[in-house]
Amino acid sequence: MAKRFGKPSINWAELDKRVPPDQKPNFLVFKAKSESYWRRVNASPPEPPKIDWEAYKKTVPIPDLVDKFKTAYEGFKVPMPTDTMSAKVDEQWKSLEPQIKAFCAEQQKYIDQATKDLAAVNALPKFEEMTMEIYYDMYPETRFDPVRKPTFWPHIAEEQPGYKPPATPAAAPKAAPKK
């Protein structure tokens, strides 16, 4: 007896979300072919129709030919492949689980930091409501203070008196091109 499945195991809605927009036509063609195959399989009966061997014995003139066909038909078994890969896949999955958990834990740290940063941004007053005094109180290291630290136009560090460029390591001399 053939094994019947109640419904397809493919979650088409979830798969549709993962398909890139440029591949949608190919996805729809694949889905249509899959569903037509599914309908054809479900349209056929789960077991092949019974053969009336007695009616064939009456009409076939060669004796024992129908008996040979009957024994061959009943003795035929569809070869089903043996599952040799599931154990290997399970073993590989078990070996990868610690790496996956370590990766997820590492990514969770980034998610937690991003959540904290987002909470800090969301805690700020709206741009329209923020005044210079609020900004001075929140960010004293970057505020503009014309009394204690005057700056001159264009108010960038490189254009201010006494500016010293940050120390950079000396670049290695370039080799002369070979002739």
Side-chain angles (χ1 to χ4, degrees):
M1 178 173 175
K3 183 177 178 184
R4 286 298 185 148
F5 299 101
K7 61 179 181 172
S9 61
I10 299 172
N11 185 350
W12 290 109
E14 186 64 33
L15 188 60
D16 186 33
K17 292 177 189 175
R18 296 173 184 234
V19 174
D22 59 328
Q23 293 293 321
K24 286 286 185 183
N26 294 340
F27 170 73
L28 293 175
V29 168
F30 169 70
K31 182 179 176 188
K33 283 184 181 180
S34 176
E35 288 176 348
S36 72
Y37 175 72
W38 183 258
R39 282 191 296 272
R40 284 186 298 166
V41 167
N42 283 336
S44 62
E47 291 191 24
K50 300 292 182 194
I51 298 174
D52 185 11
W53 296 107
E54 295 302 321
Y56 281 113
K57 281 184 184 179
K58 292 177 186 173
T59 57
V60 175
I62 302 171
D64 297 331
L65 181 63
V66 175
D67 291 332
K68 288 180 186 177
F69 280 140
K70 181 179 180 180
T71 55
Y73 180 79
E74 290 173 353
F76 178 73
K77 299 291 181 202
V78 177
M80 296 299 289
T82 57
D83 184 12
T84 59
M85 298 304 291
S86 289
K88 292 178 183 177
V89 169
D90 291 341
E91 180 182 316
Q92 188 179 26
W93 178 256
K94 286 179 183 174
S95 68
L96 286 176
E97 275 185 314
Q99 294 174 3
I100 293 170
K101 287 181 181 177
F103 176 78
C104 289
E106 182 181 334
Q107 295 305 311
Q108 189 61 42
K109 291 177 189 175
Y110 292 123
I111 292 170
D112 293 341
Q113 182 61 41
T115 304
K116 289 177 186 175
D117 294 344
L118 189 59
V121 169
N122 288 336
L124 292 173
K126 291 182 181 176
F127 178 75
E128 298 83 18
E129 297 172 1
M130 186 179 280
T131 63
M132 290 302 287
E133 290 81 13
I134 294 173
Y135 181 82
Y136 291 164
D137 292 339
M138 293 178 78
Y139 304 103
E141 67 280 351
T142 61
R143 69 182 184 192
F144 175 67
D145 190 0
V147 175
R148 294 189 196 107
K149 269 175 65 177
T151 59
F152 301 99
W153 188 86
H155 305 289
I156 56 174
E158 291 84 7
E159 299 295 329
Q160 302 309 312
Y163 171 75
K164 293 180 185 175
T168 57
K174 294 183 179 178
K178 294 183 181 180
K179 292 184 180 178

